[in-house]
Each structure stands twice: as structure tokens, then as C-alpha cells.
Amino acid sequence: MSTSNVRAFGTESKNDDLKQISIERREVTANDIEIDILYCGVCHSDLHTARNDWGGTVYPAVPGHEIVGKVTKVGSGVTKLKVGDYAAVGCLVDSCRTCASCEEHLEQYCLNGFVGTYNGKDKHLGGQTFGGYSEKVVVDEHFVLKVPANLNLAAAAPLLCAGITTWSPLKHWKVGKGSKVAVVGLGGLGHMAIKLAKGLGAEVTLFSRTESKTKDALDLGADAVVISTEALDMDTVKGKFDLIIDTVPYVHDINPYVTTLNVSGTLVLVGYLGPLEPMVNTVPMILGRKKIAGSVIGGIAETQEMLDFCGEHNIVSEIEIINMQDINAAYERMLKSDVRYRFVIDMASLKNN
Ligand code: NAP
Ligand code: ZN
């Protein structure tokens, strides 16, 4: 298969900084779209993968799954987009397309395993997939999204992961007018959860450890902020929420949040992957039919639905644009919860280097 070399930013091991490397991209096949990447959002999952927090990272690793750009080539069978159109790619670049999940448009739950935009198994070239910290990407049209024309491109990039990851549980648990939703953690996912839940008509509360984010949360649309480290504050919202979206990336005590669920309410974990500590107390769950759930990103049709909703409601991310070369410092700030509220890489900084 013919390929071309493109510039990318990646890391050779969990202890190394990211630096410029060269990767291969395939030439478009019949159903492929080649995208010149203009902007790429920086997700905490990029950092987890670069540093092998979850195990299983194959090096070199090139993160980035909040991609927007311009179509530069299309295969002979492509109908979705044409050269010159704007296009977006999120966390998925392939799935088996035949299993029960794929048939239900739930590619993110592909029973044969979805192919991630990075650190997935590249079906075309072998080896691992490389993400959006690069000049170009080539993706099957089924996994390419359309960006509503009225949205700022850079600020729309984070919708491709932070947006869909919070949208999917909001829709699954049927959040709408009058729903009482809480969001744990005000970072990339958290701030999108507030905007999208508000867009759907919910009353939204933020749980944060960081008191200095209170004003921002209210400006983003939150109706209330509860400082999660203050027990007295937590008591004021006991039994209140229909849905809690917990975006915290590291192990943490979820018991205080469970008690703030309404009868039959659900706490959905989207952040931390792994065993919870301290243990979860079943008493409030059993006595209130409360549920603890998880959710990963969203399907392709659902991602397009979310993008269209954001177009109609003028919803984008709050971003800080950085150069590709600033990525290591951005990761350090992310570890300090000092992101307001998503870094987005201007990919011209890589191309012009
Ligand atoms: P982020 O921008 O770094 O935001 C995380 C927020 O969580 C922080 O701003 C902070 O908010 C809070 N936080 C951080 N460390 C904490 C700790 N030790 N204890 C309590 N709170 C803490 O990260 P993100 O990009 O939103 O991603 C969040 C998590 O979701 C990551 O683990 C990421 O890998 C995961 N993720 C999952 C999916 C999925 O499909 N399920 C998709 C994308 C990302 P406050 O300052 O307000 O407390
Ligand atoms: Zn992500």
C-alpha cells in the first residue's frame, strides 16, 4: 500500500516528552478521506496514553482525537464530503461494522473492539494508529463528521471527544427540561457537560474541588456550584440529582456523590478507569434504587447529532490555543487542573516548523 510521510508530535516512551517525529499515512483507498489537520484538541486521555497510565500504549505514540481540518483528497467511492470541505474526526476511526453494537450505531461498543484514532490497531498499515497531533490523517468516510458552518473551527474541535463523551450519557439517561444534573470536575469534559446539559434544558450543578472556578462555572451556565471537599456544602444537595456525570481522571471516593442522587438516580463515570477506592457502600444504592454506571465516547451518528445540536445552539468549547511545541507544558498544567477549559493545538505551528 502506498504511503506518505507526515510530520507529527509523539513520544517514544512513557518517560519522554513529546517531540517531532515522522509517521506514515496511507494513500486514500476508495472510501477514505484525507484531511489536512487545522486544529486538534488536547484531551486528558492523550496524557494518559502518552504516559501509559492505562497500560497497553504502543510507542511511538501520537495522541490527538479532537480533530478538525480540511478535506484534501477523497477516494473514488466517497459521497459524504468533497475536497475543500471542513471535516472532523473524533476518537474512532474504525469498527467491525457487523456486530450487534455496530448495527445499532454504537460503534464505541463494537463487540470486536473499536479502532481508536490513536493506539488502535491499524487495519491498513499494521502497527498502531496515530492521532491528530500530525499534519494529516486518512480516515474511512463512515468515521468522518461534518462541522456545522457557523461554529468556530478551533473551538469546535473539543466537541469531538469532550462533547460527545458528555452528550452520550445525557441522551441515554434522557436529560431534558427539568432534569437535575450534576457534573463532577470542571475540566474539558466537565465544562462541555455543563453547556450541553444546559442546552438540553436541565438544571445543572457543578461539584468542584477548586473554589476559584466557581465564577467560571456560573458563567458557563451552571446554576450552582458545590465545593466537593466541604461536607456541609455536600449536605445541601443530598438526594437531589437525577444524573451525575463524574469526569474526574483519577481514583477518588464516589460515596459522597451517590448520596446526592435522587431515588432511581444514576452516577455515570466517564473519567477514571480502574478499581474504585474506597469501596462503594451499597446501602444508599439499595435503599434508593441508585445506579452507578459507565460510558465511553459515543457512536458516529450520535456524534453528528451532537455536532448539529451545537450548531443550532451555538455551543462550542472554551479554549486556549497553543502551538504544537507547547504540548509538554500543557500536559503539566492539565495535571494541576489548570486548564480553562481545553487546550487546542493550532496545527500550523507543526507545519511551519
Ligand atoms: P481535565 O480537563 O484534566 O479535567 C478533569 C477535572 O477533574 C479537573 O479539571 C478537576 O476539576 C478534576 N480533577 C482532576 N484531578 C482530580 C482528582 N485527583 N480528584 C478530584 N478531581 C480531580 O480532563 P478531561 O480531558 O476532562 O478528562 C477527564 C477524564 O475523562 C480523563 O480521565 C479522560 O481520560 C477521561 N475521558 C473519558 C472518555 C470516555 O469516553 N469515557 C472520553 C474522554 C476522556 P476541579 O478542579 O473542578 O476539581
Ligand atoms: Zn478524549
Side-chain angles (χ1 to χ4, degrees):
M1 173 169 254
S2 65
T3 61
S4 58
N5 288 321
V6 303
R7 273 181 273 203
F9 242 67
T11 177
E12 305 281 354
S13 89
K14 67 177 193 168
N15 300 316
D16 283 329
D17 276 351
L18 276 74
K19 62 173 198 288
Q20 191 171 318
I21 61 171
S22 178
I23 57 166
E24 279 186 316
R25 294 294 191 198
R26 68 178 181 270
E27 279 303 317
V28 292
T29 63
N31 298 316
D32 282 337
I33 296 181
E34 183 190 80
I35 300 164
D36 180 47
I37 301 174
L38 297 173
Y39 297 102
C40 184
V42 179
C43 179
H44 208 111
S45 303
D46 300 356
L47 187 160
H48 287 310
T49 300
R51 300 193 176 176
N52 202 22
D53 288 348
W54 297 326
T57 300
V58 183
Y59 295 95
V62 175
H65 57 201
E66 294 183 338
I67 300 169
V68 293
K70 207 168 208 179
V71 176
T72 43
K73 276 184 203 164
V74 296
S76 54
V78 168
T79 54
K80 203 184 239 181
L81 289 165
K82 57 182 191 320
V83 172
D85 287 346
Y86 289 116
V89 177
C91 309
L92 303 167
V93 290
D94 213 341
S95 67
C96 83
R97 312 213 209 159
T98 53
C99 72
S101 292
C102 286
E103 289 202 336
E104 281 182 64
H105 305 287
L106 298 171
E107 296 91 345
Q108 75 276 34
Y109 301 116
C110 174
L111 299 175
N112 296 302
F114 69 76
V115 179
T117 303
Y118 55 78
N119 205 46
K121 281 202 175 98
D122 190 324
K123 289 184 189 167
H124 299 262
L125 300 180
Q128 71 277 35
T129 53
F130 296 116
Y133 297 3
S134 58
E135 293 179 275
K136 284 176 194 283
V137 66
V138 178
V139 179
D140 185 298
E141 69 169 331
H142 179 75
F143 293 86
V144 177
L145 289 308
K146 295 181 189 177
V147 190
N150 58 316
L151 298 183
N152 174 284
L153 275 186
L159 300 177
L160 276 302
C161 175
I164 184 59
T165 301
T166 50
W167 174 261
S168 188
L170 290 169
K171 293 298 281 190
H172 182 75
W173 277 280
K174 301 191 170 31
V175 165
K177 214 170 164 36
S179 303
K180 291 189 170 58
V181 172
V183 175
V184 188
L186 191 63
L189 267 56
H191 93 289
M192 286 314 309
I194 292 176
K195 288 190 179 209
L196 293 169
K198 282 306 287 182
L200 288 166
E203 181 190 319
V204 184
T205 299
L206 171 73
F207 286 116
S208 175
R209 304 164 305 168
T210 312
E211 218 165 336
S212 61
K213 292 182 182 172
T214 301
K215 181 177 180 306
D216 287 358
L218 299 173
D219 290 346
L220 288 164
D223 298 284
V225 177
V226 171
I227 302 303
S228 51
T229 47
E230 300 288 336
L232 286 178
D233 242 23
M234 294 295 283
D235 280 349
T236 62
V237 285
K238 249 191 187 141
K240 175 163 178 162
F241 302 110
D242 304 311
L243 181 71
I244 301 175
I245 300 184
D246 181 335
T247 75
V248 173
Y250 299 99
V251 69
H252 60 290
D253 186 4
I254 66 166
N255 290 296
Y257 301 112
V258 175
T259 62
T260 71
L261 287 170
N262 194 347
V263 171
S264 304
T266 303
L267 182 151
V268 58
L269 292 155
V270 295
Y272 171 66
L273 275 176
L276 283 168
E277 278 170 42
M279 284 188 194
V280 180
N281 185 354
T282 65
V283 174
M285 291 170 64
I286 287 176
L287 296 183
R289 197 165 63 187
K290 298 174 186 181
K291 297 176 282 292
I292 296 170
S295 184
V296 76
I297 48 176
I300 296 301
E302 194 177 36
T303 304
Q304 192 62 59
E305 171 198 70
M306 175 274 310
L307 285 167
D308 295 343
F309 178 89
C310 289
E312 282 156 33
H313 293 78
N314 249 304
I315 295 175
V316 286
S317 180
E318 301 302 310
I319 61 167
E320 180 175 337
I321 294 193
I322 61 168
N323 288 334
M324 188 69 261
Q325 295 76 10
D326 301 331
I327 190 67
N328 297 301
Y331 280 3
E332 292 312 311
R333 280 184 54 194
M334 199 177 238
L335 283 172
K336 292 188 208 132
S337 302
D338 176 26
V339 187
R340 297 185 181 215
Y341 281 91
R342 197 61 143 183
F343 293 120
V344 172
I345 305 158
D346 179 352
M347 220 39 81
S349 58
L350 176 63
K351 291 174 193 139
N352 303 334
N353 201 20

